[in-house]
Amino acid sequence: MDLKTLHKISYGLYIVTSGKDDDCNGQIANTVIQVTADPPRVGVCINKQNYTHEFISKYKVFSASILSQEAPMKLIGLFGFKCGRDLDKFEDVEYKVGETGSKIVLNNAVGYLEVKVFDSVDVGTHTMFIGDLVAAETLSDAEPITYAYYHEIKGGKSPKTAPTYIKEKKVEQTPKKERKKMAAYECTVCGYVYDPQEGDPENGIDPGTPFRSLPEDWVCPVCGAGKEDFEKIEEY
Ligand code: FE
């Protein structure tokens, strides 16, 4: 069986939130789907270990902010690689409280959906929540980000709790002759690899910048971990 075939399925990237008033949490999910048109119904698949799972189970609602291609890695990292048990994810984001009472993230959202859950399916590691669409709003004409764009263009990673997670290989190796003597470093929190050849242009780091020359306040563009959370993976 070729598991890579699963990579041919297309997905988007969403911030799924649930809760009521200040008792709220949210996470990144790629598995938001419209399941029927009449009445409009939407489903989402959430890992049972994720904090957001507790909120959807308790409040029977969720909202999904549909992210644009411009969504910065920092926002994706905040909701995708940090846990709401450790910090309030809504502290530094723009949000509104929706009809369901749940906070909805507005940063880089082209629109959002609000869903009242009426059923759920235990699918093993995850639960598939299905519900009626009770509110929806388009916020911009920007291009929604696809999961493929996130991986290929933005260099994003999947946390191990993602339903579509497949163990990724280490960095693709440049042939030895073309390599310069610079080490790549891997974030021990999210698996992001800092490749000095590429730098981190999104955060003002030019290609060719060795890891040790990164400013001390530089953080992992995916999850926000500091330099001290990186480990050297290879001498080029
Ligand atoms: Fe990271």
Side-chain angles (χ1 to χ4, degrees):
M1 183 165 66
D2 182 8
L3 289 176
K4 279 205 188 109
T5 314
L6 292 167
H7 288 159
K8 305 286 183 195
I9 302 177
S10 302
Y11 301 93
L13 204 64
Y14 312 91
I15 296 180
V16 172
T17 52
S18 181
K20 196 153 182 58
D21 305 321
D22 279 335
D23 191 29
C24 248
N25 194 51
Q27 66 161 80
I28 295 286
N30 64 308
T31 49
V32 174
I33 51 163
Q34 179 179 354
V35 291
T36 58
D38 190 18
R41 287 176 166 164
V42 173
V44 68
C45 202
I46 301 286
N47 191 297
K48 290 175 184 172
Q49 294 173 14
N50 286 1
Y51 197 36
T52 304
H53 190 278
E54 292 178 22
F55 288 82
I56 304 179
S57 302
K58 181 176 172 188
Y59 291 106
K60 305 273 187 281
V61 296
F62 69 85
S63 71
S65 304
I66 304 160
L67 294 177
S68 77
Q69 284 185 352
E70 281 74 44
M73 293 302 270
K74 208 175 169 187
L75 178 71
I76 297 172
L78 172 64
F79 281 91
F81 288 97
K82 301 243 168 159
C83 183
R85 293 182 182 98
D86 308 325
L87 82 168
D88 177 7
K89 295 187 180 184
F90 296 95
E91 202 171 86
D92 293 320
V93 299
E94 201 189 329
Y95 65 85
K96 68 177 261 183
V97 176
E99 283 181 30
T100 59
S102 172
K103 289 177 182 175
I104 301 163
V105 176
L106 301 175
N107 301 58
N108 303 97
V110 301
Y112 66 83
L113 311 169
E114 283 192 85
V115 178
K116 269 193 182 153
V117 174
F118 65 80
D119 206 354
S120 62
V121 184
D122 185 333
V123 290
T125 54
H126 291 64
T127 302
M128 178 99 201
F129 296 100
I130 302 153
D132 288 308
L133 186 68
V134 293
E137 189 181 352
T138 302
L139 300 171
S140 91
D141 292 328
E143 199 64 36
I145 187 170
T146 64
Y147 204 45
Y149 185 94
Y150 167 64
H151 281 288
E152 287 158 25
I153 311 294
K154 294 178 100 76
K157 303 287 172 196
S158 305
K160 291 185 177 63
T161 51
T164 50
Y165 175 79
I166 295 177
K167 207 166 181 349
E168 291 173 60
K169 283 202 183 126
K170 293 283 184 195
V171 237
E172 296 234 339
Q173 301 205 342
T174 327
K176 246 187 180 160
K177 273 186 204 162
E178 296 167 30
R179 290 186 216 166
K180 285 184 193 151
K181 250 189 164 243
M182 278 195 282
Y185 280 72
E186 182 171 8
C187 174
T188 55
V189 177
C190 71
Y192 164 84
V193 172
Y194 177 76
D195 180 349
Q197 315 283 357
E198 289 175 20
D200 177 17
E202 201 177 295
N203 294 296
I205 306 295
D206 293 333
T209 307
F211 185 80
R212 63 182 147 73
S213 304
L214 291 172
E216 280 315 306
D217 60 354
W218 179 84
V219 293
C220 172
V222 175
C223 73
K227 278 181 80 176
E228 65 280 5
D229 292 316
F230 278 70
E231 278 175 3
K232 192 196 255 195
I233 52 171
E234 198 184 343
E235 193 75 53
Y236 274 40

